[in-house]
Amino acid sequence: MNDKLKFSKPAEKWESYLPLGNGRLGVMLKAHPGNEILQLNEEGIWSGGPIDRVNEDAKKYLPQIRNLVKEGKVLEAQELGFESLSGKCFNERVYQTAGEFRVDFFRKDNYGIECGFPLEHKVEKECFDSYASELDLSRALASVTYTDKEGVNFTRRCWVSASFDMIFLHVKASQKGKINFRGYMDRGIWVDDVRAEDGFLFLEDAHGIPFCAACGALASGGNIKTVGAMITGSDCDEVLFFIDIQAWKWNKNCRNKADFEKSIKKNYWTKKCKENLIQIKNFLVSQGLEKAVEMILSEHINDHKSYWDRMQLTIGNEASENAATPELLQAAGEDNVELVNLYWNFGKYLLIAGNREPGVMPTTLQGLWNCYMDPPWGSKYTININTQMNYWPVNMTALSDCELPLFKLMERAYINGRDVAKRMYDCRGYVLHHNIDFWGDAAPQDNWLPGTYWVLGAAWLATHIWEHYEYTLDKECLAKYYYLIHEACLFFVDFLQPASIIAEDGKPYLVINPSLSPENSYVTKAGQVGAFCEGCEMDNMILEHLFKSCLSARKVLDKAALDRDGKKYSQKDYEDFTYVLSHLKKPELNSDGSLMEWNREVEEVEPGHRHVSHLYGLFPGHTISLEKTPELARACKKTLEKRLANGGGHTGWSQAWIINFRAQLQMGDEALQALVKLFSHSTLPNLLDNHPPFQIDGNYGALAAITRMIAQSEFDSENVVNLKLLPALPSSKKWQQGSVRGLRVKGAYSLDFDWQDGKACNIKLQPLTKEAEKIKVNIL
């Protein structure tokens, strides 16, 4: 199995460390033989409490902004929009590191450190010469091995247990009394207190959301003690370090600054941290260290496998052992299926580690892992593509439960989004812009014209609830979150404006004004660079997806389609939704045959832009397909050719989206070429996606794309699932055989099949629920 990342030398940069996580706690392990670093994260550590950033002047000036856009006075509209639509404070809260646990391991005769920074012991050449590390994806376990100049073999293992909800680092030597160490916790200047207490280390901070990180250690043989705020060990046979992080917990009654400041007065997180460390230490002592370690590790592996074993994919002939990962990456090419298999497995691993229970928050731009206090783009939830991409693969890879944190955050954001909809736009329902944070802050983020004032964040996110249902047929889940779909529609019933373009019934199409094609710009009629526009293709396609999802969900739920308070929605809502759906502009082509991005043909400022938003209707939307709309499918191909010819796909996530487009268009060879480019230009030595800098969306997007190259499923208008097997299989000889086990198909089916010589065989479809047995699946 290609399920191990292997390395012959330690990482040089944080981005290349080894990621470990249990959904709540995250670790990036340096995996160094002597100077080990565990960079720490906890999902709830953010830079501060809730802020009211709503600009209530928006209502006053919105009609004027709309008129300026309609008159073609785009720059004037943008000036007024900057003043009246921006958040009073431009920025939401950001995700932050919990700090580091740094621990040096050294021979006893190497005690003593030279001047320099950081203060650490020199590591002898023999340790590097014998060094090996790996991340076992199937067991969620990192390990480091090396031999010192005396011939003593050292093995270090690190894992983040969900069962014990704690980080563990276990160290063992081939000879007794050979483990010596010194460790401490650090977070730079962002700390209120670091101390040793009762044999444990504690790091506390309340500059943002308050938290406590704590570390303990237990050894067999030797001696462990605390000195100052450090923990040291000498002459030990075996050592287990255990780390917990506890932060203030969000609660629905804490909606403003005053509530937050009142709620943090009582420090319960430090007490909880200490209780957890005492509890685990007592368990280790009662069981004996060696036995307890194996019990904890065995439970961890079994628990991880309950996620890991749900689905497997192997392309080509299964390899028993893969090469060192950096070397495998350097050999990226169309025949290197070992790399594809390893990358796919790594993506699945990250999906589990970043989203599983006990975590309750979805993955940020950097997933669960962030080493900064002020990270790139705030390591928040960028919801004009990136957060959505993080969840494209969850259902098809049998990890639907890993999508639930996203829905929970949407619930959190709903209250704020409803407030913003009313105070900024005088609309019903709720609205989210292009970013949200820990608090579900719904006001516009940043002061960037091509991105900040986009209003479709909730609309796009809400489609995930319906897609989740199509894969699982979970009516209870659909009913619980239905209001998030319905009230995203309700906002646009009020917000949409009549356009100058007329629909088939003689009435005007409805458009968003002002709108944006995310992060892109165009040349206005006046020859200036503009972003504000009167509707665009992505608007039309997201809204079609949203309103169709809402009407379909209502049909499924019937009387269970209720609001947040359990009340029935009015029939007029559904009449309005139907009207809106019939008055969304249909896709059109530019004169060169490509798909029109804005609602009229314009000159593009950046023809190779990283966003390809106007192809939303191809994927993840359902408007465009080879079978239903062949002319539009050809236009999508032309659009991709145009984007790529001008340098598009130059970021990791953008390339991942392109692979998904190619898969949808059944262009297997082109999809593989894009995948190889992703490996060659946008992948770090540990296989994390490189925007640059590191972002995790490319990993998740490519996981979805590779899976969709092998199988795709869609409901048709007759409620029949059309299943395509090997729709985008490349012609490469190495890809002509393989196997799938446990892939999820829409209609709540599990799919197993093999393929030989490029043809599917041994096909087995298994319904997962009684409701699924009523669904017909048509294999194409």
Side-chain angles (χ1 to χ4, degrees):
M1 285 286 290
N2 297 109
D3 58 8
K4 292 183 177 67
L5 272 61
K6 298 181 178 180
F7 305 90
S8 58
K9 58 182 180 180
E12 295 180 1
K13 297 180 179 180
W14 173 85
E15 288 83 358
S16 297
Y17 289 10
L18 302 182
L20 297 154
N22 71 354
R24 185 182 78 85
L25 296 171
V27 170
M28 286 287 271
L29 183 75
K30 187 175 183 180
H32 194 278
N35 314 129
E36 187 61 283
I37 300 175
L38 282 74
Q39 184 269 313
L40 306 172
N41 285 107
E42 200 275 349
E43 62 177 359
I45 298 175
W46 291 66
S47 60
I51 326 170
D52 183 357
R53 303 187 303 111
V54 178
N55 187 340
E56 296 193 61
D57 280 339
K59 276 192 294 190
K60 179 179 178 181
Y61 292 101
L62 186 58
Q64 188 177 344
I65 293 168
R66 285 170 167 164
N67 287 334
L68 288 169
V69 172
K70 288 176 76 73
E71 292 166 5
K73 299 176 180 178
V74 176
L75 269 62
E76 292 180 42
Q78 291 175 172
E79 175 81 38
L80 189 54
F82 175 53
E83 295 169 358
S84 62
L85 300 180
S86 300
K88 293 185 296 183
C89 167
F90 292 142
N91 293 299
E92 298 170 344
R93 299 307 193 183
V94 306
Y95 184 46
Q96 296 183 322
T97 178
E100 297 175 336
F101 176 59
R102 289 175 170 259
V103 54
D104 266 19
F105 297 95
F106 49 88
R107 288 193 343 274
K108 197 168 186 178
D109 61 1
N110 194 27
Y111 184 80
I113 50 177
E114 294 183 4
C115 295
F117 184 82
L119 293 173
E120 57 188 21
H121 293 83
K122 288 185 176 180
V123 180
E124 56 207 28
K125 179 178 180 297
E126 289 82 358
C127 295
F128 290 109
D129 291 343
S130 58
Y131 173 90
S133 65
E134 70 174 33
L135 177 59
D136 187 333
L137 307 174
S138 68
R139 299 198 299 163
L141 179 67
S143 62
V144 180
T145 60
Y146 60 93
T147 304
D148 69 10
K149 69 179 184 180
E150 294 179 345
V152 180
N153 301 319
F154 293 87
T155 301
R156 196 182 313 146
R157 299 179 294 179
C158 187
W159 67 98
V160 185
S161 167
S163 302
F164 287 82
D165 199 11
M166 195 165 289
I167 300 161
F168 294 100
L169 179 69
H170 179 242
V171 188
K172 207 166 186 178
S174 62
Q175 296 180 27
K176 291 184 179 297
K178 294 296 183 179
I179 301 173
N180 302 280
F181 67 87
R182 181 253 298 131
Y184 61 93
M185 308 190 82
D186 187 32
R187 199 177 184 240
I189 64 172
W190 300 99
V191 65
D192 290 332
D193 186 34
V194 181
R195 67 183 184 278
E197 182 180 297
D198 298 331
F200 303 125
L201 303 184
F202 294 89
L203 185 154
E204 293 178 294
D205 185 69
H207 284 90
I209 291 179
F211 75 95
C212 174
C215 174
L218 188 69
S220 60
N223 178 54
I224 290 181
K225 63 181 179 180
T226 58
V227 180
M230 299 188 185
I231 190 165
T232 69
S234 58
D235 304 323
C236 301
D237 305 333
E238 179 181 7
V239 181
L240 181 69
F241 299 91
F242 40 96
I243 299 171
D244 187 28
I245 309 168
Q246 293 292 328
W248 176 90
K249 301 299 182 187
W250 180 87
N251 70 79
K252 62 183 180 181
N253 297 319
C254 187
R255 308 300 308 180
N256 55 50
K257 181 179 179 181
D259 290 342
F260 177 67
E261 290 180 348
K262 181 179 179 180
S263 72
I264 64 174
K265 287 182 178 178
K266 184 178 180 181
N267 180 344
Y268 58 80
W269 42 93
T270 299
K271 179 181 177 183
K272 179 65 174 174
C273 227
K274 187 172 184 179
E275 288 174 351
N276 289 347
L277 263 60
I278 292 171
Q279 184 178 13
I280 193 67
K281 186 172 183 179
N282 289 341
F283 173 77
L284 297 171
V285 171
S286 66
Q287 296 293 325
L289 183 59
E290 185 175 8
K291 179 183 176 183
V293 165
E294 295 312 313
M295 287 173 64
I296 294 169
L297 181 56
S298 177
E299 187 169 341
H300 162 72
I301 292 170
N302 290 337
D303 178 64
H304 174 69
K305 284 187 174 294
S306 70
Y307 291 84
W308 179 264
D309 290 343
R310 295 180 192 176
M311 184 196 167
Q312 294 84 39
L313 169 65
T314 302
I315 298 166
N317 295 319
E318 186 174 335
S320 57
E321 291 292 335
N322 53 276
T325 302
E327 286 75 15
L328 195 62
L329 186 61
Q330 289 174 2
E334 295 182 10
D335 291 331
N336 191 344
V337 293
E338 290 81 5
L339 176 59
V340 176
N341 287 324
L342 182 62
Y343 189 89
W344 188 91
N345 278 323
F346 184 55
K348 183 176 73 166
Y349 165 83
L350 292 172
L351 202 56
I352 298 167
N355 292 281
R356 58 154 301 158
E357 291 183 337
V360 297
M361 297 294 292
T363 45
T364 71
L365 272 177
Q366 281 72 35
L368 186 58
W369 303 277
N370 163 45
C371 69
Y372 301 102
M373 296 300 297
D374 188 10
W377 300 285
S379 193
K380 299 188 295 296
Y381 305 102
T382 303
I383 56 175
N384 66 5
I385 173 66
N386 311 90
T387 297
Q388 288 88 341
M389 183 178 283
N390 284 0
Y391 292 93
W392 285 351
V394 288
N395 292 302
M396 62 187 80
T397 55
L399 294 167
S400 293
D401 46 342
C402 288
E403 193 170 25
L404 298 181
L406 179 64
F407 301 159
K408 291 175 182 176
L409 181 61
M410 289 173 65
E411 284 191 297
R412 189 179 297 189
Y414 165 78
I415 302 296
N416 298 317
R418 189 175 61 180
D419 184 55
V420 170
K422 185 65 178 175
R423 292 167 62 194
M424 283 189 69
Y425 306 118
D426 199 21
C427 292
R428 296 169 297 165
Y430 75 115
V431 63
L432 304 177
H433 295 84
H434 88 302
N435 267 265
I436 52 177
D437 63 4
F438 174 87
W439 299 99
D441 188 332
Q445 157 71 27
D446 290 330
N447 55 344
W448 187 42
L449 288 169
T452 294
Y453 312 103
W454 188 75
V455 294
L456 284 155
W460 189 346
L461 287 174
T463 65
H464 279 244
I465 297 167
W466 176 248
E467 296 287 331
H468 184 95
Y469 171 76
E470 286 198 317
Y471 273 99
T472 64
L473 300 186
D474 185 344
K475 285 187 181 180
E476 184 178 342
C477 181
L478 181 63
K480 179 178 180 179
Y481 297 114
Y482 170 77
Y483 75 95
L484 294 170
I485 309 176
H486 188 108
E487 299 201 24
C489 292
L490 203 58
F491 171 79
F492 287 101
V493 169
D494 292 352
F495 190 79
L496 290 170
Q497 299 293 301
S500 55
I501 312 168
I502 304 302
E504 294 176 358
D505 63 356
K507 296 180 179 180
Y509 282 118
L510 298 172
V511 297
I512 296 172
N513 181 12
S515 184
L516 308 161
S517 188
E519 305 187 23
N520 208 353
S521 55
Y522 65 98
V523 178
T524 70
K525 290 179 180 179
Q528 300 161 321
V529 176
F532 277 20
C533 62
E534 192 181 5
C536 66
E537 179 62 13
M538 189 185 215
D539 298 352
N540 306 328
M541 294 296 95
I542 290 180
L543 291 176
E544 180 187 276
H545 195 181
L546 172 69
F547 280 84
K548 282 186 174 180
S549 296
C550 187
L551 293 172
S552 297
R554 192 257 183 137
K555 185 177 180 180
V556 168
L557 294 172
D558 193 18
K559 294 180 181 179
L562 304 174
D563 70 12
R564 188 166 172 262
D565 298 321
K567 297 177 182 178
K568 187 178 179 181
Y569 286 106
S570 72
Q571 179 60 31
K572 187 178 184 304
D573 284 358
Y574 299 106
E575 294 169 1
D576 289 341
F577 296 169
T578 302
Y579 181 86
V580 168
L581 194 54
S582 65
H583 289 80
L584 296 173
K585 182 180 171 293
K586 305 301 185 287
E588 289 189 64
L589 307 189
N590 291 311
S591 55
D592 65 0
S594 62
L595 198 69
M596 199 178 285
E597 182 166 357
W598 288 269
N599 279 349
R600 63 181 180 85
E601 186 163 2
V602 299
E603 179 186 344
E604 297 177 77
V605 174
E606 191 180 345
H609 197 270
R610 61 194 174 278
H611 283 256
V612 199
S613 302
H614 46 317
L615 297 197
Y616 180 98
L618 178 64
F619 184 83
H622 308 288
T623 305
I624 301 172
S625 71
L626 291 169
E627 296 81 12
K628 293 186 300 182
T629 57
E631 183 183 11
L632 293 177
R634 287 192 293 273
C636 290
K637 292 180 183 179
K638 178 70 175 179
T639 301
L640 289 172
E641 291 168 4
K642 184 177 173 181
R643 270 289 200 267
L644 295 172
N646 287 280
H650 51 276
T651 67
W653 64 262
S654 180
Q655 194 65 252
W657 201 357
I658 287 167
I659 304 167
N660 276 283
F661 290 142
R662 297 298 199 192
Q664 190 70 19
L665 292 167
Q666 299 181 202
M667 302 172 71
D669 286 342
E670 291 82 356
L672 179 55
Q673 290 165 13
L675 182 61
V676 171
K677 188 174 179 182
L678 177 73
F679 293 152
S680 302
H681 299 285
S682 301
T683 303
L684 292 159
N686 58 358
L687 300 189
L688 284 175
D689 175 66
N690 195 17
H691 180 285
F694 157 58
Q695 282 186 194
I696 206 163
D697 39 24
N699 289 103
Y700 292 146
L703 173 63
I706 296 166
T707 308
R708 296 179 63 254
M709 290 169 72
I710 304 304
Q712 297 174 23
S713 60
E714 290 294 344
F715 274 99
D716 66 16
S717 58
E718 303 299 320
N719 206 38
V720 173
V721 174
N722 291 314
L723 172 60
K724 296 179 181 179
L725 301 182
L726 307 177
L729 189 73
S731 59
S732 166
K733 185 177 180 180
K734 292 287 187 72
W735 282 70
Q736 300 312 301
Q737 56 276 327
S739 65
V740 165
R741 297 292 180 267
L743 186 147
R744 296 301 191 257
V745 172
K746 286 189 174 182
Y749 273 82
S750 178
L751 171 66
D752 298 350
F753 75 96
D754 303 318
W755 69 95
Q756 292 289 338
D757 300 321
K759 304 293 182 183
C761 56
N762 305 322
I763 302 166
K764 181 182 177 182
L765 271 170
Q766 180 69 35
L768 299 172
T769 68
K770 288 187 177 180
E771 194 70 22
E773 295 173 3
K774 304 174 187 177
I775 304 292
K776 180 181 177 182
V777 179
N778 181 26
I779 301 177
L780 303 178

